[in-house]
Amino acid sequence: DVKVTQSSRYLVKRTGEKVFLECVQDMDHENMFWYRQDPGLGLRLIYFSYDVKMKEKGDIPEGYSVSREKKERFSLILESASTNQTSMYLCASSFGTSANEQFFGPGTRLTVL
Amino acid sequence: GEDVEQSLFLSVREGDSSVINCTYTDSSSTYLYWYKQEPGAGLQLLTYIFSNMDMKQDQRLTVLLNKKDKHLSLRIADTQTGDSAIYFCAERGAGFQKLVFGTGTRLLVSP
């Protein structure tokens, strides 16, 4: 089975802290994605990557950066966390095939105080 | 840009059929998806349909696609309490790897 794991299920940070969210997949997928999920807004794409060291901005990249040094790992970085970044963060991965099913991790619920 | 819309809530009784609706704006959509999210979990793909199809059936699930009206629906037959979850519609445009998700519909199934 495809497995996408995220480093933490719950995280509490203070305003201004630098925050790292890690995602690892074990199926040699080319594509990896970071979303945030907020009630009534669905999933919004923050960044995605279609290859090692490649990244593309999604719909809401402001306040975030990403790193993909290895194929299996995609990190989301909040350079200076703010309260409006309190959210559920979901990582996903997929092959570069036509159907493009995305497999999701369990999510990290981040609270910024 | 692309937009995908869903109603936020649906409540049904156990044993009834549920129909969750979705509209999208991108006429170049190639694939359309239905994902399910159970409480405290990530999203799990339920089914998908290619844009040149108008129907797909998989056990209790039936997907209908009206490409002219850009309308997608998911019908769950004999709905069970275990079907209570949030259901997301998503679409993928031509030539892109990213998906655009709807807001999600929370399905509540009562005994």
Side-chain angles (χ1 to χ4, degrees), chain A residues 9 31 33 35 37 40-43 45 48 59 90 94-102 104-106, chain B residues 8 30-31 33 35 37 40-45 48 86 88 92 96-104:
Chain A
R9 293 299 305 272
N31 307 315
F33 307 82
Y35 297 89
Q37 181 182 6
L41 297 178
L43 272 70
L45 182 64
F48 64 103
D59 300 316
L90 293 166
S94 70
F95 282 118
T97 60
S98 56
N100 194 41
E101 175 184 353
Q102 290 189 15
F104 282 81
Chain B
L8 290 180
T30 52
Y31 288 91
Y33 306 80
Y35 280 83
Q37 185 182 36
L43 278 67
Q44 179 185 12
L45 181 70
Y48 66 89
I86 302 175
F88 289 92
R92 180 167 85 91
F96 294 104
Q97 296 296 319
K98 67 173 188 171
L99 303 183
V100 178
F101 285 84
T103 52

Side-chain angles (χ1 to χ4, degrees), chain A residues 42-91:
Chain A
L43 272 70
R44 292 180 291 167
L45 182 64
I46 304 171
Y47 268 97
F48 64 103
S49 167
Y50 51 87
D51 202 351
V52 175
K53 295 193 187 295
M54 305 300 286
K55 60 185 179 183
E56 293 280 344
K57 290 181 181 179
D59 300 316
I60 51 164
E62 296 79 17
Y64 304 94
S65 62
V66 290
S67 171
R68 190 153 181 216
E69 296 296 318
K70 294 186 178 181
K71 193 174 185 180
E72 67 271 17
R73 187 181 296 269
F74 192 35
S75 302
L76 180 70
I77 304 151
L78 287 67
E79 295 289 342
S80 177
S82 63
T83 54
N84 64 12
Q85 292 179 309
T86 291
S87 187
M88 170 70 88
Y89 290 88
L90 293 166
C91 174

Side-chain angles (χ1 to χ4, degrees), chain B residues 37-56:
Chain B
Q37 185 182 36
E38 295 182 350
L43 278 67
Q44 179 185 12
L45 181 70
L46 281 178
T47 187
Y48 66 89
I49 188 168
F50 188 48
S51 58
N52 68 354
M53 299 169 64
D54 52 19
M55 188 181 93
K56 182 178 181 181

